[in-house]
Amino acid sequence: MRAEAPPIGSEIDLSGWSRTFSEEFDSLDISARGPGTRWIAHVPWGGDFGDARFTDPAPGFPFTTRDGVLRIEARKVGNVWRSGLIASVDPQGRGFAQRYGYFEIRARMPEGEGVWPAFWLVGIDRSTATAEIDVLEYYGAKPDLFKSVAHVWNRDGSRPHYSDWSRSPAPGATTAFNTYGVDVEEDWITVYFNRRAVWRTPTKPEHRQPLYVMANLALGGGFPIDRTPDPSVFEIDYIRVYAR
């Protein structure tokens, strides 16, 4: 029997939880693909997506930290857009991942059509399917909204892919720092904005495994980038993970 889901609009209380991961961005421990750093700068399985190339870290670009805030910058280098991504495991699966719990980012979105920042989780085991939870996808063409999606991408073609999604209000997304979080439980995936539940979906079996963390500033996502501000900056105050 499925457990009762948190009511939409309810506030999550973390007082009885323990913090298992805390990135405050006083500095940034990152390499292109590891090993031995807290973050890598590409998706662990390789390849890019969107209309900007994710770039190896270099002094001053695409990552900088200032006063405890990570700035991921997208800008044109020649005629090519470049930007940044951080992932908490390397291609060998070494790094931080957690089965169940509350995953949260506090961030301010960039303005402008074509920006596509995200905060998302992916399952360690990709042998037969990729389990993905997009806690936050923000499209600059749709300000004051954010999209959340639960995906299962089946890799062997034997079953159709699965997606369930919702758009939620995010007032002040570009003018203030807000929190975007997800509580992944055995029965329910519940998304929170400023720690109030805005959407939930049943947990698929593929999501009942350790999930690692990614955040990035991509461009495009189905929207044109000819009017995207150059540069554009996604600001992240912290990323934290909790366990009951």
Side-chain angles (χ1 to χ4, degrees), residues 133-153:
I133 300 172
D134 301 327
V135 186
L136 155 72
E137 287 188 271
Y138 180 83
Y139 299 92
K142 297 181 179 292
D144 295 329
L145 292 172
F146 74 99
K147 185 179 181 181
S148 304
V149 192
H151 291 292
V152 177
W153 307 105

Side-chain angles (χ1 to χ4, degrees), residues 1-6 8 100 131-133 149-152 162-166 182-191 199-208 211:
M1 182 176 179
R2 191 179 298 275
E4 185 176 348
I8 297 301
Y100 303 144
E132 178 179 332
I133 300 172
V149 192
H151 291 292
V152 177
Y162 167 86
S163 293
D164 191 17
W165 65 276
S166 177
V182 66
D183 184 9
V184 183
E185 301 178 278
E186 183 177 0
D187 292 325
W188 294 100
I189 295 168
T190 306
V191 171
W199 179 64
R200 63 174 176 261
T201 188
T203 306
K204 304 297 285 186
E206 292 84 356
H207 292 112
R208 298 173 183 145
L211 304 166

Side-chain angles (χ1 to χ4, degrees), residues 5-241:
I8 297 301
S10 62
E11 186 172 5
I12 191 167
D13 180 4
L14 299 176
S15 59
W17 299 54
S18 59
R19 192 184 300 179
T20 54
F21 181 90
S22 183
E23 176 59 271
E24 307 300 316
F25 295 113
D26 295 315
S27 60
L28 184 64
D29 181 19
I30 189 168
S31 62
R33 293 178 176 83
T37 52
R38 189 173 214 192
W39 302 98
I40 67 166
H42 298 273
V43 295
W45 59 88
D48 282 350
F49 58 89
D51 295 324
R53 295 181 185 173
F54 295 127
T55 303
D56 293 352
F61 183 80
F63 311 105
T64 55
T65 57
R66 183 187 307 163
D67 299 325
V69 173
L70 172 66
R71 294 165 50 88
I72 303 179
E73 180 182 340
R75 71 173 184 231
K76 273 189 177 179
V77 180
N79 292 320
V80 178
W81 278 98
R82 294 187 174 274
S83 190
L85 175 147
I86 59 175
S88 68
V89 302
D90 67 15
Q92 285 69 48
R94 295 170 297 208
F96 176 81
Q98 180 172 298
R99 184 175 186 247
Y100 303 144
Y102 180 67
F103 301 74
E104 183 179 77
I105 189 171
R106 185 174 186 264
R108 180 163 59 190
M109 304 301 116
E111 294 186 32
E113 187 173 342
V115 296
W116 182 26
F119 174 57
W120 46 309
L121 315 175
V122 173
I124 286 285
D125 182 3
R126 298 180 65 248
S127 56
T128 60
T130 297
E132 178 179 332
I133 300 172
D134 301 327
V135 186
L136 155 72
E137 287 188 271
Y138 180 83
Y139 299 92
K142 297 181 179 292
D144 295 329
L145 292 172
F146 74 99
K147 185 179 181 181
S148 304
V149 192
H151 291 292
V152 177
W153 307 105
N154 290 296
R155 296 170 57 80
D156 60 5
S158 63
R159 294 171 294 163
H161 301 310
Y162 167 86
S163 293
D164 191 17
W165 65 276
S166 177
R167 280 199 174 94
S168 305
T174 63
T175 58
F177 283 89
N178 297 281
T179 62
Y180 305 80
V182 66
D183 184 9
V184 183
E185 301 178 278
E186 183 177 0
D187 292 325
W188 294 100
I189 295 168
T190 306
V191 171
Y192 291 81
F193 175 70
N194 289 332
R195 297 193 174 174
R196 292 198 176 273
V198 293
W199 179 64
R200 63 174 176 261
T201 188
T203 306
K204 304 297 285 186
E206 292 84 356
H207 292 112
R208 298 173 183 145
Q209 63 165 304
L211 304 166
Y212 57 89
V213 175
M214 289 194 284
N216 61 265
L217 175 52
L219 300 183
F223 294 94
I225 62 170
D226 56 308
R227 291 183 291 182
T228 301
D230 181 11
S232 292
V233 177
F234 179 32
E235 295 180 288
I236 305 174
D237 181 27
Y238 65 69
I239 294 174
R240 297 171 182 169
V241 184

